[in-house]
Amino acid sequence: MACLKPCIPGPRLSTLVRRRYSFNTSFSRSFSITPLLLALETKKAPPKSTTSSDSFKQSKQTQLPPPQRKSGSAFGQFIVASKKNLDASKEKAKRLKEYGVQYLVRPIGVNSPPKPADNSPKDKRTFAQKRADFVSYEKNIERRKELIGQMSESYFTDMHEYRSTAGKEWKAPQMFFRADKSFYMPNFQGSTLVSSKIKDSTSVLKDKVSVVKIYTSLSGENHVNSYFDSPGKASAEPDPALGYQIIDITVLDRPVNRWISKFFAFRTRRRLPKTQHDLFFYAQPLPDQLSSAIGQINRYTGYLYIVDGDCKIRWAACAKAIEEEKESFERCLKGVIAEHRMRTRKE
């Protein structure tokens, strides 16, 4: 039976083991981390670099211009405008309750003389002008202010004011305004009962004394007709010997109103004489600034004006007439006609 003896490595294997052990120890000693730690401890900390994040931010802030203060967001401006309109309506209602309706003591209208091309519904700007206005910061801010002003007013504001005051914003003055102190009637553009072509009101008002009736709704039309003896006389043909003409301006502020008015235009033609067809306008609404300048602030109210040959507003009234205003209207109309005749004789 063979004798089992333990396997003892031979001389070759022992030498290989000894060489590997010596290599590992020498490698670990040569790459030990302790010398590096000692070097880092003894080495002084370097000073802060000038190109750090804080100094870089400071240098950038010094180079940039100072920031401009913003006027606020569009929503904030809308809230402020809505609050102002609400406070103004409350103050107006309080004033009317305490003092009642006051007389119109100052002239109304626009400062500059009207031109036939003013307030045209067509955009006559060139492509370059439209592009310049589109990229202009000032133009966009102005447009935003207009939109905020329109949105801040409630849709039912005119209805609530009409219920509380019956549309009577002021009482008509007892005498007409002086010619040198009066302001101008803005230009209206729209179609007439004769033709659908766009026509301006300035060419019709020029060199003639005119009674201008402006209304948007049926209630406004009834208001302006009440200043005459009867509704039938209001729509009758004025006598040329009297020296004045009657102009009806129906302001169509919505597309639905335009469609309905044009659809029932045949009724208006039957009601008015043929000489008045060319003096009946379906006009475009004026900008808010111009409509406020002539006192037209409520769509349910009718407005009546006496305009001289220079397109100046010499007398104005609103809402349903009272006996005092009827007498004032007849008296002031005769006075403006006499003044116009005297002026034409001198010329």
Side-chain angles (χ1 to χ4, degrees):
M1 185 173 177
C3 181
L4 297 177
K5 297 182 179 180
C7 295
I8 301 173
R12 293 183 180 179
L13 183 61
S14 61
T15 55
L16 288 174
V17 170
R18 286 195 299 270
R19 288 177 183 177
R20 183 174 296 177
Y21 175 76
S22 63
F23 174 78
N24 292 336
T25 55
S26 62
F27 179 81
S28 62
R29 287 175 182 174
S30 61
F31 288 95
S32 178
I33 197 170
T34 54
L36 294 175
L37 293 174
L38 292 174
L40 290 174
E41 289 177 358
T42 56
K43 194 174 182 180
K44 294 182 180 180
K48 290 185 179 181
S49 176
T50 56
T51 60
S52 62
S53 60
D54 297 337
S55 60
F56 181 72
K57 290 179 181 179
Q58 293 177 1
S59 62
K60 285 195 71 177
Q61 289 177 0
T62 54
Q63 294 176 2
L64 292 175
Q68 298 179 357
R69 291 188 63 184
K70 296 183 179 180
S71 59
S73 62
F75 181 73
Q77 293 180 2
F78 167 73
I79 296 298
V80 172
S82 301
K83 187 177 180 181
K84 286 183 178 179
N85 291 334
L86 183 61
D87 295 341
S89 61
K90 290 181 179 179
E91 185 179 357
K92 181 179 178 181
K94 182 180 178 181
R95 187 174 63 253
L96 289 174
K97 187 176 181 180
E98 292 180 357
Y99 304 103
V101 182
Q102 301 296 314
Y103 287 97
L104 183 64
V105 295
R106 61 178 183 84
I108 57 176
V110 296
N111 297 326
S112 58
K115 298 178 182 179
D118 292 345
N119 308 320
S120 176
K122 297 182 179 179
D123 193 356
K124 297 182 179 180
R125 296 178 300 172
T126 60
F127 180 78
Q129 292 175 349
K130 292 181 181 178
R131 181 182 178 279
D133 293 343
F134 180 76
V135 299
S136 175
Y137 179 76
E138 290 77 9
K139 294 286 186 181
N140 292 330
I141 291 297
E142 291 178 2
R143 180 57 179 166
R144 188 175 77 171
K145 289 181 180 179
E146 292 179 0
L147 293 176
I148 288 173
Q150 294 176 2
M151 293 174 61
S152 60
E153 295 181 358
S154 174
Y155 179 79
F156 301 99
T157 301
D158 293 344
M159 184 180 296
H160 291 321
E161 291 185 355
Y162 182 79
R163 286 178 178 178
S164 59
T165 63
K168 183 64 73 175
E169 302 291 338
W170 71 82
K171 289 183 181 180
Q174 295 298 310
M175 291 298 297
F176 57 90
F177 303 114
R178 290 171 50 181
D180 56 343
K181 302 294 183 180
S182 301
F183 298 111
Y184 297 92
M185 171 69 74
N187 182 60
F188 287 87
Q189 288 201 355
S191 60
T192 60
L193 292 175
V194 175
S195 175
S196 60
K197 294 182 179 180
I198 300 299
K199 186 178 180 180
D200 62 279
S201 63
T202 302
S203 58
V204 179
L205 296 174
K206 199 68 176 176
D207 299 331
K208 294 180 182 179
V209 177
S210 306
V211 176
V212 182
K213 301 187 293 184
I214 300 177
Y215 49 88
T216 303
S217 58
L218 182 61
S219 60
E221 185 177 2
N222 295 332
H223 289 167
V224 294
N225 289 339
S226 65
Y227 284 86
F228 299 85
D229 294 340
S230 62
K233 186 177 180 181
S235 62
E237 181 181 2
D239 189 0
L242 298 177
Y244 71 95
Q245 60 181 357
I246 297 176
I247 298 176
D248 290 76
I249 298 178
T250 304
V251 180
L252 306 177
D253 55 348
R254 291 181 178 82
V256 177
N257 295 348
R258 299 171 193 171
W259 182 81
I260 294 175
S261 299
K262 291 182 180 180
F263 183 78
F264 292 100
F266 66 94
R267 293 185 178 180
T268 309
R269 293 190 184 94
R270 293 177 184 176
R271 181 170 56 87
L272 294 177
K274 292 184 179 180
T275 54
Q276 290 291 114
H277 290 181
D278 199 27
L279 302 178
F280 192 96
F281 286 84
Y282 292 110
Q284 301 289 334
L286 293 175
D288 294 338
Q289 295 180 353
L290 298 182
S291 59
S292 300
I294 63 176
Q296 186 187 0
I297 57 178
N298 197 311
R299 65 169 60 94
Y300 301 106
T301 306
Y303 300 89
L304 189 72
Y305 304 91
I306 298 177
V307 184
D308 62 5
D310 294 331
C311 301
K312 289 185 176 182
I313 300 175
R314 308 296 299 276
W315 185 86
C318 67
K320 191 174 181 179
I322 57 179
E323 294 299 327
E324 181 183 354
E325 290 178 324
K326 290 181 181 180
E327 296 175 0
S328 174
F329 169 63
E330 295 177 0
R331 181 172 59 252
C332 293
L333 180 59
K334 293 179 181 179
V336 174
I337 292 172
E339 182 183 302
H340 178 72
R341 289 175 176 176
M342 187 180 298
R343 179 182 174 182
T344 52
R345 288 174 183 176
K346 289 182 180 179
E347 292 177 354

